[in-house]
């Protein structure tokens, strides 16, 4: 049987279904794993549903899915069970990307310690969106439009791979706005940490081949920029 | 003919805007605790009371300047008299009584009964005059007749006027009033003991030449001093029978003291929540702008924490445990049901001008729909943001009138998608929005002052301040323009979206406001 690039979602609840709906286009296969005490059946079941138990041997997953290129979501509603599940999966799969949901920040820290690659604290995330909507409505709208593709504005990471006129210059010295109609916000280091272009570190950094720039602009302008300087990673 | 004239005047006054506004102004000044200028008026009156008392004390043993005596006897008294008349005026509306009588008589087809209306007015005004507060007010005016020296002691009635101006006194007496029956019982008991013991001690001691109790008044004085547990010792019983009476009175005195102390304590502990609530409501009424959060569960707690850094936040929840949690977290919270119109009436707030937004953050769609509908039933415009727990209820919240609906599960789904699909954009935006990162994105509104200094985007000089101008939100077009062209005109109400170190953004904002062309 051919192994597929899959999204494995643990938890059979509305969070899991929303995640499945949002990532369906990215993965060849989406499997939802139902914990013992979760509801039996939901309306309009679109995804394959399997059962699991915390005592399961996770190595069997490797036989079925291409774990190197798959992603795991731990979306159980009980934080303690979710932490146990995350740590069990991390013990079996050292390199797979595990995204876990946590109720609050305390559980989020524990999930990170348990080996989750990314933790989404539900309460804090919801609250922070609400506060942002009230405190900075325009910023929130613009950022949402960028993030959720409601406008042509994009944020992308472009790697400088060709000889360009700005090689050797400091990022803030280049008139990105007028030449490429884009805005360069950050320079990425090799360890993926980012430096704002006006920060003191970045201002002492001269652009060279292999540098990664985080740019914001319209889709077509970013494409042009990327053709001129190198490759792109959205 | 005269009746017709009186009625015409009544209708004229009742419909005259100037008259009604003036009366309303004095009503607010004298009686409305929430009126912002009342505290100044009260402070002035308190000052006058103290001046009166100081003059009285000074006058006992020293000569007081004639002007001060004149000021005390006439000017202060006249001010109090004017205040008394104004209070009498605003206590009820004569014109309304006359109009009601006229309407009543017209309905029955009878001629206007001026006499009956007159008696009704007298009755209502008399009711006001005989209230304890009005009686104190009139007694406080009496020192006006300063020639009658013995009447000067009436100046002390002015001190009683303080009760009217200092709210804590009113609270104190209203609390004690709740134990009226208990205090009355105690008073009866104490009076009985005093009466019986006075008579007994008089009978036992009055005929003894060595005893200092010679009259019934001495006996009464001794009883009161003893039962109050003060016991000066200037009068003491010397006979065995008298001492026995003393022992009984002392024992009764301890009981009276203990009982009255426990009464005051229990009255206060019973009313403590009410007093605190009244104080909280008073404080809320004075706030200029705040967010009203309905329900205090996990999301609400986080939102309140975040908003309270820059804004006032008030929490309403009908659950006492959740309210206690909110208070413990340091917020102003009231145990009011957010789904009841009565709650908002009790708050005495003007939603349109004071409330920035109402946030329905209960983790129950039923409660949020109900609260949204409740608010919409008396205010169509206030911004209502509601949490949605199950997507099937979205349209119910829309119909109820929520301005913005936030469905947490969808949000988490979208975040998961972006994290998988666009890790760079996700991390950048997360960093920009996070309070913990140094690089922030802020919006700066174009004010009139900024417009005086700058008219076009290329004049802003943001590069000098090491901040990035991401774009401009044009208020008129209601549209965001990314990377605006240099000659884009700035207009009042537009927003600049600035990215940079928060310190530099603040500096840049200051520069925009300060620069003088």
């Amino acid at each position: 049987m051919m192994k597929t690039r899959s999204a494995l979602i643990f938890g059979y609840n509305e969070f899991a279904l929303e995640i499945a709906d949002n990532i369906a286009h990215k993965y060849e296969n989406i499997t939802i794993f139902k914990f013992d005490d979760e509801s039996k059946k939901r309306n309009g079941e679109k995804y394959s549903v399997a059962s699991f138990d915390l005592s399961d041997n996770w190595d069997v997953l490797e036989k079925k899915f291409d774990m190197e290129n798959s992603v795991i979501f731990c979306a159980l509603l009980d934080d303690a069970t979710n932490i146990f599940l995350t740590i069990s999966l991390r013990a079996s799969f050292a390199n797979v990307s595990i995204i876990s949901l946590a109720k609050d920040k305390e559980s989020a820290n524990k999930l990170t310690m348990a080996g989750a690659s990314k933790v989404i604290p539900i309460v804090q995330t919801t609250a922070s969106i609400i506060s942002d909507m009230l405190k900075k409505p325009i910023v929130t709208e613009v950022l949402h439009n960028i993030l959720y593709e409601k406008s042509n504005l994009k944020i992308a990471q472009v790697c400088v791979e060709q000889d360009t006129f700005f090689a050797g210059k400091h990022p803030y010295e280049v008139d990105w706005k007028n030449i490429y109609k884009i805005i360069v916000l950050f320079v990425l280091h090799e360890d993926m940490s980012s430096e704002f272009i006006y920060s003191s570190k970045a201002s002492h950094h001269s652009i060279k081949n292999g540098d990664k720039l985080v740019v914001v602009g319209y889709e077509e302008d970013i494409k042009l920029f990327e053709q001129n300087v190198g490759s792109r990673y959205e | 003919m005269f009746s017709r004239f009186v009625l015409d005047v009544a209708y004229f006054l009742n419909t005259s805007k100037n008259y009604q506004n003036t009366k309303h102004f004095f009503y607010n000044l004298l009686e409305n605790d929430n009126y912002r200028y009342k505290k100044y008026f009260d402070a002035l009156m308190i000052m006058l009371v103290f001046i009166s008392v100081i003059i009285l004390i000074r006058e006992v043993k020293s000569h007081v300047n004639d002007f001060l005596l004149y000021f005390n006897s006439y000017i202060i008294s006249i001010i109090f008299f004017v205040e008394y008349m104004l209070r009498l005026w605003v206590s009820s509306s004569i014109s309304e009584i006359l109009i009601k009588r006229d309407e009543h008589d017209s309905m029955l087809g009878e001629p206007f009964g001026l006499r009956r209306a007159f008696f009704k007015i007298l009755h209502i005004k008399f009711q006001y005059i005989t209230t304890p507060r009005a009686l104190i007010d009139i007694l406080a005016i009496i020192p006006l007749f300063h020639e009658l020296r013995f009447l000067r002691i009436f100046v002390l009635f002015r001190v009683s006027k303080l009760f009217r101006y200092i709210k804590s006194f009113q609270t104190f007496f209203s609390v004690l009033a709740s134990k009226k029956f208990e205090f009355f019982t105690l008073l009866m008991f104490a009076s009985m003991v005093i009466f019986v013991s006075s008579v007994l001690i008089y009978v036992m001691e009055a005929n003894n030449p060595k005893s200092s109790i010679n009259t019934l008044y001495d006996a009464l004085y001794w009883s009161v001093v003893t039962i109050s547990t003060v016991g000066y010792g200037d009068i003491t019983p010397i006979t065995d029978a008298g001492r026995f009476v003393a022992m009984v009175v002392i024992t009764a005195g301890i009981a009276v003291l203990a009982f009255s102390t426990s009464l005051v304590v229990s009255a206060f502990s019973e009313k403590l929540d009410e007093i605190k609530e009244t104080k909280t409501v008073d404080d809320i009424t004075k706030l200029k702008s705040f967010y009203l959060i309905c329900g205090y569960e996990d999301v609400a707690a986080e939102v309140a924490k975040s908003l309270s850094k820059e804004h006032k936040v008030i929490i309403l929840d009908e659950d006492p445990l959740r309210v206690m949690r909110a208070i413990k977290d340091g917020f102003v919270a009231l145990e009011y049901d957010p789904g009841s119109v009565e709650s908002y009436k009790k708050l005495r707030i003007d939603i349109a001008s004071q409330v920035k937004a109402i946030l329905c953050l209960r983790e129950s769609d039923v409660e949020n729909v109900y609260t949204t509908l409740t608010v919409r039933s008396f205010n169509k415009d206030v911004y209502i943001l509601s949490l949605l727990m199950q997507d099937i209820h979205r349209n119910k919240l829309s119909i109820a009138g929520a301005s913005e609906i936030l469905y947490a599960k969808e949000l988490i789904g979208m975040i998961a998608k972006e994290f998988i699909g666009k890790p760079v954009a996700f991390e950048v935006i997360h960093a920009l929005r996070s309070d913990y990162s140094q690089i922030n994105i802020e919006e700066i509104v174009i004010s009139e002052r900024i417009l005086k200094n700058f008219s076009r985007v290329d004049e802003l000089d943001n590069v000098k301040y090491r901040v990035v101008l991401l774009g401009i939100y044009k208020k008129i077009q209601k549209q965001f323009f990314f990377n605006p062209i240099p000659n884009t005109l700035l207009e009042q109400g537009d927003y600049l979206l600035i990215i940079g170190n928060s310190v530099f953004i603040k500096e840049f904002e200051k520069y925009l406001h300060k620069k003088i062309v």
Side-chain angles (χ1 to χ4, degrees):
Chain A
M1 192 177 73
M2 199 183 145
K3 291 198 277 187
T4 51
R5 190 171 171 266
S6 309
L8 314 179
I9 304 172
F10 290 84
Y12 193 49
N13 50 52
E14 282 176 40
F15 283 109
L17 292 175
E18 278 291 340
I19 292 170
D21 285 346
N22 275 285
I23 61 168
H25 65 290
K26 274 258 178 193
Y27 293 89
E28 298 159 33
N29 170 275
I30 288 183
T31 304
I32 294 176
F33 290 85
K34 187 165 73 174
F35 193 46
D36 277 354
D37 58 353
E38 287 181 300
S39 58
K40 296 277 178 260
K41 181 116 185 132
R42 283 176 180 268
N43 290 336
E45 221 165 64
K46 293 183 273 183
Y47 310 101
S48 57
V49 178
S51 291
F52 80 97
D53 192 274
L54 289 174
S55 58
D56 281 356
N57 177 11
W58 298 115
D59 295 342
V60 292
L61 289 177
E62 207 149 18
K63 292 175 189 158
K64 219 172 156 191
F65 306 102
D66 171 13
M67 293 308 286
E68 288 293 312
N69 293 306
S70 294
V71 63
I72 293 175
F73 287 92
C74 296
L76 297 176
L77 293 178
D78 178 57
D79 277 352
T81 323
N82 218 23
I83 290 170
F84 190 84
L85 175 69
T86 305
I87 209 163
S88 312
L89 289 164
R90 179 55 76 215
S92 302
F93 311 107
N95 299 320
V96 74
S97 186
I98 301 176
I99 299 162
S100 299
L101 300 192
K103 203 177 165 222
D104 50 34
K105 265 196 172 161
E106 193 190 315
S107 302
N109 291 339
K110 288 176 191 161
L111 278 163
T112 310
M113 287 163 70
S117 325
K118 174 79 193 169
V119 182
I120 306 173
I122 299 166
V123 169
Q124 272 80 12
T125 307
T126 312
S128 124
I129 298 284
I130 292 173
S131 315
D132 285 350
M133 282 164 83
L134 297 166
K135 288 200 277 193
K136 297 179 196 170
I138 293 159
V139 165
T140 310
E141 196 190 324
V142 170
L143 294 185
H144 271 225
N145 288 346
I146 295 175
L147 199 55
Y148 305 131
E149 296 172 344
K150 287 178 185 164
S151 77
N152 288 328
L153 263 187
K154 304 267 183 253
I155 289 183
Q157 176 185 309
V158 177
C159 186
V160 181
E161 287 177 343
Q162 295 161 24
D163 285 334
T164 51
F165 77 93
F166 52 76
K169 286 190 174 183
H170 299 303
Y172 64 87
E173 289 175 328
V174 185
D175 188 7
W176 309 102
K177 274 187 170 190
N178 290 324
I179 303 169
Y180 296 108
K181 293 181 184 163
I182 57 155
I183 292 176
V184 174
L185 292 179
F186 296 93
V187 178
L188 287 185
H189 295 303
E190 277 172 13
D191 64 352
M192 293 304 280
S193 62
S194 56
E195 279 295 338
F196 184 57
I197 58 157
Y198 286 118
S199 71
S200 25
K201 264 192 195 172
S203 57
H204 286 95
H205 175 90
S206 310
I207 303 171
K208 56 182 184 303
N209 271 8
D211 274 354
K212 293 184 185 88
L213 305 173
V214 174
V215 303
V216 51
Y218 288 111
E219 175 75 36
E220 55 270 31
D221 296 327
I222 294 180
K223 266 186 189 162
L224 268 175
F225 180 64
E226 153 198 56
Q227 279 168 17
N228 284 325
V229 304
S231 65
R232 172 184 188 182
Y233 179 64
E234 256 194 358
Chain B
M1 189 66 184
F2 179 67
S3 301
R4 195 66 257 163
F5 172 73
V6 170
L7 255 185
D8 285 346
V9 173
Y11 274 106
F12 169 75
L13 293 177
N14 204 252
T15 50
S16 160
K17 250 189 175 173
N18 283 341
Y19 175 81
Q20 292 301 335
N21 285 345
T22 314
K23 190 167 180 177
H24 192 63
F25 167 76
F26 282 113
Y27 173 81
N28 282 336
L29 195 68
L30 297 166
E31 306 287 354
N32 184 358
D33 286 332
N34 297 317
Y35 186 58
R36 66 165 78 169
Y37 299 113
K38 185 177 185 289
K39 58 182 173 202
Y40 301 114
F41 174 77
D42 289 352
L44 173 76
M45 300 309 270
I46 289 168
M47 202 176 72
L48 292 178
V49 169
F50 278 114
I51 290 174
S52 264
V53 175
I54 291 167
I55 292 172
L56 176 78
I57 294 167
R58 179 101 185 129
E59 210 186 351
V60 176
K61 287 203 167 181
S62 322
H63 173 72
V64 176
N65 181 302
D66 284 347
F67 170 74
L68 283 177
L69 283 177
Y70 176 81
F71 181 75
N72 185 31
S73 301
Y74 290 100
I75 299 186
I76 295 183
S77 300
I78 286 169
I79 292 171
F80 285 171
F81 178 71
V82 172
E83 184 211 3
Y84 179 79
M85 293 311 287
L86 286 171
R87 284 188 195 276
L88 186 64
W89 176 41
V90 301
S91 66
S92 53
S93 168
I94 296 176
S95 60
E96 233 156 66
I97 298 169
L98 290 167
I99 289 167
K100 265 188 192 160
R101 169 54 57 187
D102 179 48
E103 282 169 353
H104 176 264
D105 290 346
S106 309
M107 213 167 61
L108 296 177
E110 290 173 5
F112 173 59
L114 180 62
R115 234 170 89 94
R116 273 175 297 182
F118 179 71
F119 281 116
K120 174 88 180 165
I121 291 163
L122 272 188
H123 175 70
I124 285 175
K125 293 293 180 192
F126 183 75
Q127 266 183 335
Y128 172 77
I129 290 168
T130 50
T131 57
R133 285 174 170 205
L135 287 173
I136 288 173
D137 284 346
I138 197 78
L139 288 170
I141 301 167
I142 288 178
L144 178 66
F145 314 105
H146 75 293
E147 280 78 16
L148 301 170
R149 197 167 177 84
F150 76 95
L151 283 180
R152 288 201 176 169
I153 201 65
F154 278 82
V155 81
L156 283 179
F157 280 103
R158 289 188 175 172
V159 179
S160 327
K161 268 174 84 69
L162 290 177
F163 297 131
R164 190 188 266 293
Y165 306 119
I166 300 174
K167 219 180 166 190
S168 344
F169 287 166
Q170 292 169 24
T171 313
F172 182 78
F173 283 106
S174 73
V175 167
L176 294 188
S178 67
K179 294 276 175 187
K180 239 188 291 182
F181 172 73
E182 288 86 342
F183 277 114
F184 181 72
T185 312
L186 180 68
L187 184 73
M188 284 297 108
F189 171 72
S191 310
M192 205 59 201
V193 173
I194 289 169
F195 174 70
V196 173
S197 61
S198 308
V199 172
L200 279 175
I201 204 83
Y202 178 72
V203 171
M204 309 293 173
E205 300 267 326
N207 285 331
N208 193 320
K210 286 181 185 167
S211 172
S212 42
I213 299 169
N214 297 316
T215 63
L216 195 58
Y217 183 73
D218 288 341
L220 182 71
Y221 168 75
W222 172 85
S223 282
V224 173
V225 168
T226 308
I227 202 169
S228 66
T229 72
V230 173
Y232 291 124
D234 53 344
I235 298 176
T236 48
I238 52 163
T239 62
D240 286 345
R243 283 177 179 162
F244 179 77
V245 174
M247 284 191 283
V248 173
V249 177
I250 288 165
T251 316
I254 293 168
V256 168
L257 194 75
F259 190 31
S260 51
T261 310
S262 69
L263 271 185
V264 173
V265 172
S266 72
F268 269 93
S269 55
E270 278 168 25
K271 287 267 179 178
L272 197 63
D273 287 341
E274 209 178 295
I275 295 167
K276 276 187 187 168
E277 186 187 306
T278 314
K279 171 86 178 74
T280 310
V281 170
D282 283 350
D283 291 344
I284 293 172
T285 315
K286 287 171 196 155
L287 291 179
K288 279 186 183 156
S289 94
F290 58 88
Y291 286 107
L292 194 64
I293 297 183
C294 302
Y296 195 76
E297 284 168 280
D298 292 338
V299 173
E302 284 297 321
V303 172
K305 208 162 90 183
S306 167
L307 291 178
S308 62
K309 288 175 193 160
E310 294 162 38
H311 305 276
K312 293 270 177 209
V313 171
I314 307 296
I315 289 146
L316 298 187
D317 200 316
E318 74 270 36
D319 182 71
L321 288 177
R322 289 197 294 260
V323 171
M324 216 187 289
R325 182 185 160 198
I327 293 170
K328 222 173 160 185
D329 289 347
F331 299 111
V332 178
L334 283 165
E335 198 186 313
Y336 284 2
D337 178 8
S340 154
V341 176
E342 197 54 40
S343 305
Y344 302 91
K345 278 187 190 162
K346 278 200 274 183
L347 271 180
R348 304 195 308 265
I349 49 168
D350 177 15
I351 291 213
S353 66
Q354 285 177 280
V355 178
K356 284 171 85 79
I358 293 181
L359 315 178
C360 302
L361 301 183
R362 279 296 306 277
E363 287 162 25
S364 149
D365 289 336
V366 176
E367 296 292 340
N368 288 338
V369 166
Y370 193 61
T371 303
T372 307
L373 260 179
T374 305
V375 175
R376 279 287 173 255
S377 69
F378 59 85
N379 189 298
K380 301 276 174 242
D381 304 316
V382 67
Y383 179 86
I384 303 177
L385 184 149
S386 177
L387 201 59
L388 176 68
M389 299 310 288
Q390 285 182 298
D391 203 25
I392 47 165
H393 298 141
R394 188 186 287 271
N395 62 339
K396 289 156 201 144
L397 264 175
S398 295
I399 293 167
S403 321
E404 190 81 50
I405 297 166
L406 199 109
Y407 181 42
K409 282 148 192 156
E410 179 186 47
L411 192 74
I412 300 298
M414 283 161 85
I415 288 172
K417 175 189 172 187
E418 299 317 316
F419 181 70
I420 297 289
K422 294 179 178 177
V424 178
F426 181 87
E427 288 303 337
V428 169
I429 288 176
H430 178 71
L432 287 177
R433 287 208 324 220
S434 163
D435 285 345
Y436 306 105
S437 89
Q438 286 183 329
I439 306 302
N440 281 333
I441 178 163
E442 297 287 350
E443 44 191 55
I444 299 176
V445 65
I446 300 290
S447 61
E448 207 181 334
R449 182 165 171 84
I450 294 179
L451 263 191
K452 276 183 192 163
N453 296 327
F454 307 94
S455 57
R456 289 169 19 158
V457 163
D458 56 347
E459 294 168 4
L460 292 174
D461 229 0
N462 54 293
V463 175
K464 193 178 143 197
Y465 282 84
R466 303 165 76 172
V467 292
V468 171
L469 172 67
L470 185 72
I472 182 167
Y473 179 85
K474 300 294 286 176
K475 189 188 172 189
I476 296 171
Q477 289 99 318
K478 287 188 177 164
Q479 203 183 337
F480 174 69
F481 293 92
F482 167 72
N483 198 5
I485 52 170
N487 61 0
T488 304
L489 286 177
L490 300 174
E491 287 164 292
Q492 198 172 339
D494 290 350
Y495 283 88
L496 301 175
L497 262 63
I498 304 292
I499 298 176
N501 186 302
S502 39
V503 177
F504 289 123
I505 296 179
K506 272 192 188 134
E507 285 300 314
F508 178 60
E509 195 173 358
K510 269 189 206 164
Y511 157 76
L512 292 184
H513 284 92
K514 273 186 187 165
K515 190 189 166 195
I516 297 160
V517 181

